[in-house]
Amino acid sequence: MAGGAASGGKAQTDTYKEARTLLLLPSWLVLGFFVLIPVFMMLIYSFLTKEFRGGVIWEFSLAAYDQFFFDRGLFGDDAPSIEWTYINIFWRSIWQAGAATIFALLIGFPTAYFIATRPPNSRQMWVFLVTIPYWVNLLIRTVSMKFLLRDQGPLNDFLMGIGIVDSPIHIINTDFAVQLGLFYSYLPFMVLPIYAAVERYNFSLSEAAADLYASKWQTLRRVLLPAVKPGVIAGCILVFVPSLGSFLAPDLLGGAKNFMIGSLIEEQFKGNAGNWPFGAAASMILLSLVLIVLMLSARQQNKGEGV
Amino acid sequence: MAQAGEDIKNYPGFMPITLFCLVVLYAPLLVVMIYSFNESKSITVWQGLSFKWYVDVFVGPESAKFKEAAINSFSIAIVAALAATAIATSAATGMLRGGSFRGRGFSFGLINLPLIVPEIVTAVATLIFFSAIDFERGYLTILVAHIAFCIPFAYMPIAARMQGIEDTYEQAAMDLYANKTQAFRLVLFPLMLPGIVSGFILAFIISLDDFIITNFVKGAGIETLPTAIFGAVKQGIKPNIMAISTMLLAVSIVMVTISYFVGKSGDKLKQPPGEK
Amino acid sequence: MAIVEDRNIIAVDVQNAVKRYGSFTALKTISLSIKDNEFFTLLGPSGCGKTTLLRIIGGFEELSEGAISLFGDEIAKLPPNKRPINTVFQNYALFPHMTIEENVMFGVEMRGGSKAEARQRASEMLDLVQLTQFASRKPSQLSGGQQQRVALARALAPEPKVLLLDEPLSALDLKLRQAMRYELKEIQRKAGITFIFVTHDQEEALTMSDRIAVMSSGELQQLGTAREIYESPHNTFVADFIGETNLLEVSVDALSGGSATCHLGGGHELICDEVKGVGVGAKVHLSIRPERLTLSDTPMEGASLSGVVRDNIYIGTDIQTIVDLNEGPQMVIRTSNSDRGNKRIFEPRSPVFVNMEKGAARLLAD
C-alpha cells in the first residue's frame, strides 16, 4: 500500500482512457438502437390506437390501459367498474412465480449450502453440475418436463410401478405443473448466489455460536441465515423476476386455463385477437412491476450492508 | 477435533436434498434422451433401442424443414456470438480500462439491460421497433436482435477475467517500451483470451437456445430450431422431436463444458503478494 | 579525475515536484538530485509519497507541477515507453502467458531489437541472475525469489539508464530478503547504473543505499548517507523513524561556544552540540540512541543522570534496561551482550546513573 492513493494494481484503471468512447461506442449503438429505443417505442405504442389485424394507428389513446383496468360493458358505454380479468392474470402470475420461488428456495438453499461446504477442489465440479441444465435450451427443458409429467409419462409409470399410487396423478395442465416448470427453469439461479454467499461465510462464527451453547438449528437461524441473507434475496429475485414474465412453462405445462402474463402478451401479437397497444401496455406494466421488485431488493441489500 | 469442526458445518438432510435437486435437474433431460432411442412410434411404450428417429431427422419427411432451421440457427448463433463477443470485449476494455467517467453507471446499465428487462418485453419491444421503422421481419431481424441480447452474456466472463488482470501487466509492458496498442495485443489480449472464449461460447449457446425473442421477430416463413420444435410440440411430442432435442442438448452441454475448461485453463494470474 | 567527475553527473533531477489527487496532495514540492551510478533509496512509512514519486519518475503518474530531467533531458511529459527507465514492480508483473526468456526478451524487442539480439541479451541477463536453466519455464513455475530475479533481469535487459525498484523484496520471506539485499547491491555494481529503490524497511535502506531520502506525508525529511541519517537526524520524524531512540522533551537554557545546555525536568541537565534554528528558551526534542548510553552505580564524568531501574528485557544481542529518571522522564539503555564481563546488570528497583559520551545526544530542530 506504499504510496497510498497513488499505488497501482487496481484492476479498474485508465490505460485506455483516450480510446474509451471509441471502445464503448459499438455497445452503446447496438444496445441503444435495438433494446433501449425499442422499449421507449413500446411505451409510445401503449398510448396509440389499435389497428385490427395487428399494428397501430398513430393516434393518442388511453384505450389500452383503460381496457386493462376498467370494464365498460360490452359496448363500452356502461359506467366503468374495475376489470378483474387482467389484474387477475397478473395476480396469478405473481402467485405462480412466488410459489416457484419458494420451492426453489426450499431445495436450493440446502443444495447451495451443501456445495459450499464441500472441499474446495470438488466445489467447482458441483457448481458445474448444477449449472449445466441452465445452458440447455429452455424450450427443450420445458418440453422434457411435459414429457415426464404426462398422465402416461415416465413419472406416473414409475410411481405406479413401485406401488405408491394406483392410477396416474394428473399433473399436466394444473397450477402445480406450471410452478414445477418455473421452479425447474430457474433453480440454478437460486443456488448460485446463495452458494457464493455461504462460500464467503466465515465458519468461525458458527463455531462461536456453538461455543455459546446454540444448537445447530439455532446457529443456522440466528447466525448463518442473517449472514447470507443478501445471497438468499438475490437468489429469490433471480427466480421470481424471470418466472413472472415467462411464457413457455405456462404455455406448455399450464394449458388454456392457467394463463399468465407472458401468454397474455404473446396473444396480442400472435393470435387473431391482436391488439398491439394493449400488448405494449401489458408489457409496460410487467416491466414496471419488475423494476419495482428490483428497486425494493436493491434497497434491502443496501440496508443489509450497513449492519 | 477435526470431526467436531466438520460437524458444525453439516446439517442432516442437506445432502439428500442436494441429490434430489440434481435428480430433478437431470431426470427430465435423461428421460427425453432415453426415449429418443425408443424403437416405438408411440412415446409411451418402450420397445427397445433404436436409432431410427435420428435417421428420421436427417432423411425423414420433415428433414428438409429441420435442415433449414438448423442452418438458420447455427449461422445466426455463430455470427451473433462473434459480433457480441467483439462488442463486449471492446466495451469491457472501455469500462474497466477507461478510468472513471460520467455515464459509467449508465453504460453499465445499458450493457446489462437485456438481463434486466424480461425477455418477453424485449421481444415485444423489438417487434414494435422493426414494425415502426417498417423493416421486413426475417433472418436479418433475428440476427440483429440476437447480437443485442447476447452482449451481456459475452460481457460477463470477459469483464470477470479482465477484473482479475492487474494493470501492472500493461504498465510493465509500457515500461518495457511497448506502446498502448502493443500492450493490448501482446499482453492484455492474451491474458483476456480465456474470458473471451468463454464469452463467445456462452453467447453462442444463448443465441442457439433462444425461443421467445426469435418467435416474435422472425416473421412468417423462417424458422430456427427452437421455433420449429415449438411448432411441432404444439401437435404433440413426437419421437423425432426428442431426437432433435437430444442433439441440441448435447451441443449445449459440450459447448458449456468446453467453456468451463477453457476458463480453468488460462494462465494463472498472480495474486498480489504481501500486504497489498 | 574521470571517476570524480562521474560521481557528480546527475542522473535524475526532480525539481519542485508536486502531485495532487483531487484535494489530496501526495507530494508537496519535492526537489532532489540522484547521481549517476548511485544506489538511491526512497524511505518512508506507507502513504508518505515515495511510491508516487517513483511512479512519476517511471512515467506512470503525471506531475501536477514541477519538472524532472534524465541526464539533463526533460522527461516529465514522456510516456513510460519513451523513457529509458525500467521498473521492477512490487509484485513483479511477469507476463504469465510468456516464458521466462520471452519475458526478458520483451523490452529489447519493443525497443526495436531483433529476435536474435533479444535472445542474446536475455541469455546474458539470465546468466547475471543465475536463472539460465529456467529460461523456458512459465513464471508460475518459479518461486518468489526466482520471480524477483527474473523481474530484475527483464528490467535490465533493454539497458535502461536508471532502474526503479518498488519494494521488490517485500513479498519475500525474511531469510531470502536478507540474502537478496547483497545480491541486489552486487547486481547494481555490475550493471553500473543508477538504482532508485523504494522501501518502508529502514534496515533494508541502511544496508544497501549510497544515499537515502527519508520521506513523510509527501515531504522530504532528510537526504543523506546511511550514517548521516542515523547519527545526525534533522528532526523528530527522522530520529524516531530510523532505529530506536530516546526522544526527550527539553528546554534550552543557554548557548555558548557551539554547545547548548538543556533542561529535561527533575533538575536533570545535559550539554550537547548546538543546532541551527534552536535558540535559548526553545522547547524542543533531544534524541539519544539507547546503545550510546551506559549505566553505573556512581556518577561519572560528564552527563550523568540519576534514576531507578524499572525493568530489564533480554533481547538476544542486547539487554534493554528501562530507567525512570528521578522526577524526570523514562529512558531506555541498551547494553550489548558481546562483552558482558565488563558490565553489570542492575536489578529492578536499584538506583543507577545513566551516562553518555559527549556528542551522543542530539538536538532536533522540530
Side-chain angles (χ1 to χ4, degrees):
Chain A
M1 267 309 290
S7 94
K10 287 168 292 168
Q12 185 198 316
T13 56
D14 56 1
T15 320
Y16 295 101
K17 75 165 176 254
E18 300 88 355
R20 180 177 61 219
T21 309
L22 204 62
L23 289 166
L24 288 168
L25 200 61
S27 61
W28 289 342
L29 286 179
V30 171
L31 291 164
F33 262 105
F34 300 111
V35 183
L36 192 60
I37 292 177
V39 169
F40 278 107
M41 295 191 63
M42 184 178 77
L43 177 64
I44 296 171
Y45 265 50
S46 70
F47 291 104
L48 295 179
T49 308
K50 82 166 174 178
E51 162 118 75
F52 293 95
R53 290 182 295 129
V56 287
I57 299 165
W58 281 85
E59 240 170 69
F60 177 79
S61 162
L62 284 172
Y65 291 95
D66 188 76
Q67 182 189 347
F68 191 96
F69 290 109
F70 299 108
D71 178 9
R72 294 178 192 272
L74 195 56
F75 301 102
D77 48 6
D78 292 6
S81 58
I82 300 285
E83 165 69 71
W84 287 105
T85 314
Y86 307 116
I87 296 174
N88 278 341
I89 289 176
F90 267 66
W91 182 241
R92 166 199 287 283
S93 301
I94 293 172
W95 156 248
Q96 298 280 59
T101 306
I102 289 168
F103 289 151
L105 182 61
L106 290 178
I107 300 291
F109 184 87
T111 304
Y113 182 91
F114 179 78
I115 294 175
T117 52
R118 288 313 89 202
N121 319 343
S122 57
R123 259 180 236 165
Q124 269 201 319
M125 192 265 301
W126 281 97
V127 171
F128 184 54
L129 272 182
V130 169
T131 42
I132 284 180
Y134 169 72
W135 296 109
V136 171
N137 198 320
L138 180 61
L139 171 65
I140 293 179
R141 278 188 289 155
T142 314
V143 170
S144 305
M145 200 66 173
K146 180 171 180 150
F147 182 79
L148 182 70
L149 298 179
R150 282 171 312 135
D151 289 2
Q152 282 87 37
L155 180 66
N156 273 316
D157 283 354
F158 174 73
L159 292 178
M160 287 194 293
I162 60 170
I164 293 181
V165 292
D166 298 330
S167 56
I169 324 171
H170 185 66
I171 307 174
I172 287 293
N173 295 352
T174 63
D175 274 1
F176 181 63
V178 176
Q179 291 160 12
L180 215 54
L182 293 174
F183 156 80
Y184 178 50
S185 300
Y186 304 114
L187 180 58
F189 287 175
M190 181 64 84
V191 176
L192 292 179
I194 298 179
Y195 160 77
V198 176
E199 203 193 21
R200 258 175 294 150
Y201 173 72
N202 176 2
F203 272 96
S204 53
L205 294 179
S206 286
E207 286 173 359
D211 184 57
L212 298 165
Y213 315 108
S215 74
K216 288 180 83 160
W217 296 102
Q218 284 170 322
T219 304
L220 179 73
R221 210 181 65 230
R222 304 272 300 270
V223 181
L224 177 72
L225 269 183
V228 301
K229 199 170 114 196
V232 173
I233 293 176
C236 290
I237 297 294
L238 286 176
V239 174
F240 182 79
V241 166
S243 295
L244 200 56
S246 71
F247 166 73
L248 285 171
D251 191 73
L252 290 172
L253 300 170
K257 284 184 303 169
N258 299 284
F259 226 53
M260 278 175 64
I261 307 173
S263 316
L264 175 69
I265 293 173
E266 208 254 1
E267 205 174 52
Q268 307 310 318
F269 296 93
K270 283 278 149 174
N272 291 325
N275 181 343
W276 286 31
F278 183 71
S283 300
M284 280 315 300
I285 294 168
L286 169 62
L287 183 58
S288 316
L289 213 56
V290 166
L291 291 180
I292 288 170
V293 170
L294 291 179
M295 258 150 50
L296 286 179
S297 74
R299 182 178 299 178
Q300 182 73 30
Q301 301 281 43
N302 286 345
K303 234 191 320 185
E305 270 167 34
V307 178
Chain B
M1 272 315 283
Q3 267 184 335
E6 277 302 295
D7 194 37
I8 281 178
K9 287 188 174 185
N10 293 338
Y11 284 87
F14 278 21
M15 183 168 81
I17 292 174
T18 305
L19 296 179
F20 175 72
C21 176
L22 288 177
V23 169
V24 169
L25 284 173
Y26 284 93
L29 301 178
L30 285 175
V31 165
V32 164
M33 281 162 92
I34 293 168
Y35 274 80
S36 71
F37 293 104
N38 191 359
E39 169 75 29
S40 168
K41 196 179 170 70
S42 147
I43 55 165
T44 44
V45 192
W46 177 258
Q47 275 190 346
L49 191 70
S50 159
F51 286 93
K52 79 186 223 200
W53 299 113
Y54 287 86
V55 175
D56 182 78
V57 167
F58 289 101
V59 299
E62 292 177 296
S63 63
K65 187 179 89 182
F66 288 139
K67 192 179 157 199
E68 201 190 315
I71 290 171
N72 287 336
S73 269
F74 280 92
S75 63
I76 286 170
I78 288 169
V79 177
L82 279 175
T85 307
I87 293 168
T89 304
S90 165
T93 311
M95 289 291 284
L96 296 172
R97 290 293 193 268
S100 55
F101 58 100
R102 250 179 341 134
R104 191 167 185 279
F106 172 78
S107 221
F108 187 74
L110 190 60
I111 290 168
N112 288 295
L113 197 59
L115 299 179
I116 297 165
V117 177
E119 213 182 342
I120 192 139
V121 175
T122 311
V124 166
T126 317
L127 168 66
I128 285 176
F129 175 76
F130 283 128
S131 156
I133 62 169
D134 218 7
F135 195 96
E136 200 189 336
R137 279 177 274 158
Y139 189 90
L140 212 55
T141 49
I142 304 178
L143 183 61
V144 167
H146 279 220
I147 291 173
F149 75 72
C150 283
I151 289 174
F153 290 93
Y155 181 83
M156 283 189 294
I158 296 172
R161 175 78 184 177
M162 201 157 186
Q163 250 156 359
I165 302 172
E166 285 207 56
D167 72 325
T168 43
Y169 292 122
E170 294 133 75
Q171 288 183 358
M174 287 191 262
D175 184 61
L176 295 163
Y177 313 104
N179 61 34
K180 287 194 176 186
T181 318
Q182 288 169 320
F184 184 84
R185 191 165 53 83
L186 298 172
V187 175
L188 191 55
F189 185 79
L191 292 177
M192 281 167 73
L193 203 55
I196 293 174
V197 172
S198 286
F200 171 81
I201 292 176
L202 296 191
F204 178 85
I205 300 173
I206 289 293
S207 166
L208 194 65
D209 288 357
D210 178 73
F211 166 71
I212 292 175
I213 292 174
T214 312
N215 188 38
F216 269 72
V217 301
K218 75 184 176 64
I222 180 165
E223 300 285 352
T224 63
L225 281 176
T227 62
I229 292 172
F230 184 78
V233 166
K234 280 295 187 180
Q235 327 292 326
I237 306 174
K238 290 195 214 86
N240 61 345
I241 293 301
M242 289 198 274
I244 225 170
S245 299
T246 302
M247 287 188 280
L248 206 49
L249 185 154
V251 170
S252 296
I253 290 179
V254 168
M255 296 291 275
V256 81
T257 308
I258 293 172
S259 152
Y260 172 76
F261 284 107
V262 167
K264 277 182 78 167
S265 72
D267 289 299
K268 293 274 179 298
L269 299 170
K270 194 166 175 294
Q271 290 304 306
E275 6 144 54
K276 273 217 140 173
Chain C
M1 278 304 280
I3 293 168
V4 175
E5 267 171 22
D6 273 350
R7 286 248 163 116
N8 292 316
I9 292 176
I10 303 297
V12 176
D13 196 23
V14 178
Q15 288 303 325
N16 303 317
V18 178
K19 178 65 185 173
R20 290 186 212 93
Y21 297 100
S23 60
F24 172 71
T25 307
L27 290 182
K28 299 167 186 161
T29 326
I30 290 210
S31 296
L32 46 86
S33 300
I34 300 164
K35 294 179 207 158
D36 193 16
N37 227 331
E38 179 172 43
F39 200 116
F40 190 90
T41 297
L42 296 169
L43 172 67
S46 277
C48 73
K50 58 189 192 296
T51 298
T52 304
L53 182 55
L54 191 81
R55 290 174 62 81
I56 285 171
I57 298 172
F60 303 112
E61 308 270 345
E62 262 180 61
L63 272 181
S64 306
E65 282 169 37
I68 327 170
S69 56
L70 180 70
F71 292 102
D73 300 328
E74 174 66 36
I75 57 165
K77 292 278 177 273
L78 290 182
N81 55 341
K82 297 268 163 46
R83 300 183 187 202
I85 297 176
N86 290 141
T87 307
V88 175
F89 290 85
Q90 185 175 19
N91 52 9
Y92 318 141
L94 297 179
F95 305 130
H97 59 296
M98 298 182 193
T99 65
I100 299 308
E101 189 187 26
E102 286 165 344
N103 264 283
V104 181
M105 285 166 65
F106 189 88
V108 183
E109 286 182 76
M110 288 297 117
R111 229 181 161 178
S114 68
K115 266 239 149 45
E117 278 174 68
R119 198 164 284 132
Q120 171 64 27
R121 185 74 187 144
S123 91
E124 283 167 33
M125 286 300 108
L126 288 177
D127 200 37
L128 177 70
V129 298
Q130 296 157 26
L131 285 174
T132 311
Q133 70 272 34
F134 296 107
S136 56
R137 297 219 191 155
K138 289 280 185 82
S140 57
Q141 295 167 299
L142 265 55
S143 72
Q146 289 166 339
Q147 292 186 23
Q148 210 272 322
R149 281 167 21 215
V150 175
L152 198 61
R154 185 178 73 173
L156 286 171
E159 302 182 72
K161 293 184 174 164
V162 173
L163 191 74
L164 309 181
L165 301 103
D166 185 6
E167 307 232 13
L169 304 182
S170 65
L172 306 178
D173 61 44
L174 183 65
K175 279 262 184 279
L176 196 52
R177 201 152 65 209
Q178 287 170 341
M180 278 307 291
R181 284 179 198 160
Y182 300 103
E183 204 168 320
L184 261 185
K185 182 84 191 162
E186 183 69 12
I187 288 172
Q188 189 257 340
R189 205 182 49 74
K190 281 187 193 161
I193 59 167
T194 308
F195 275 34
I196 305 178
F197 184 88
V198 157
T199 185
H200 64 269
D201 182 332
Q202 40 134 335
E203 205 178 306
E204 236 168 67
L206 293 176
T207 49
M208 294 162 74
S209 320
D210 295 323
R211 284 195 305 154
I212 301 169
V214 183
M215 293 179 67
S216 149
S217 38
E219 285 174 290
L220 182 62
Q221 301 294 335
Q222 188 169 355
L223 180 64
T225 63
R227 194 181 188 112
E228 282 164 4
I229 280 173
Y230 187 81
E231 293 186 0
S232 318
H234 280 178
N235 59 29
T236 322
F237 176 83
V238 178
D240 199 28
F241 186 71
I242 311 287
E244 248 186 288
T245 198
N246 289 294
L247 270 185
L248 307 172
E249 276 181 47
V250 296
S251 55
V252 179
D253 289 343
L255 295 171
S256 66
S259 296
T261 310
C262 309
H263 196 84
L264 51 143
H268 297 292
E269 257 188 15
L270 273 178
I271 296 176
C272 53
D273 290 341
E274 194 184 337
V275 164
K276 221 167 60 174
V278 180
V280 175
K283 295 209 179 292
V284 289
H285 281 94
L286 184 88
S287 160
I288 316 170
R289 300 285 179 195
E291 69 272 17
R292 308 221 22 202
L293 295 168
T294 56
L295 293 174
S296 62
D297 48 6
T298 51
M300 292 174 61
E301 215 175 308
S304 199
L305 312 172
S306 62
V308 178
V309 173
R310 173 173 284 261
D311 208 351
N312 287 308
I313 300 160
Y314 179 75
I315 48 171
T317 52
D318 305 283
I319 286 172
Q320 197 167 294
T321 308
I322 300 166
V323 173
D324 289 323
L325 295 186
N326 294 334
E327 294 168 58
Q330 207 168 60
M331 287 184 93
V332 176
I333 297 94
R334 263 180 191 249
T335 311
S336 165
N337 270 336
S338 58
D339 46 357
R340 90 173 58 156
N342 302 337
K343 293 164 192 162
R344 259 187 74 184
I345 299 303
F346 293 87
E347 292 307 312
R349 285 186 300 280
S350 43
V352 285
F353 288 88
V354 179
N355 315 298
M356 67 195 75
E357 53 187 295
K358 197 167 178 305
R362 187 172 165 85
L363 272 179
L364 304 170
D366 59 45

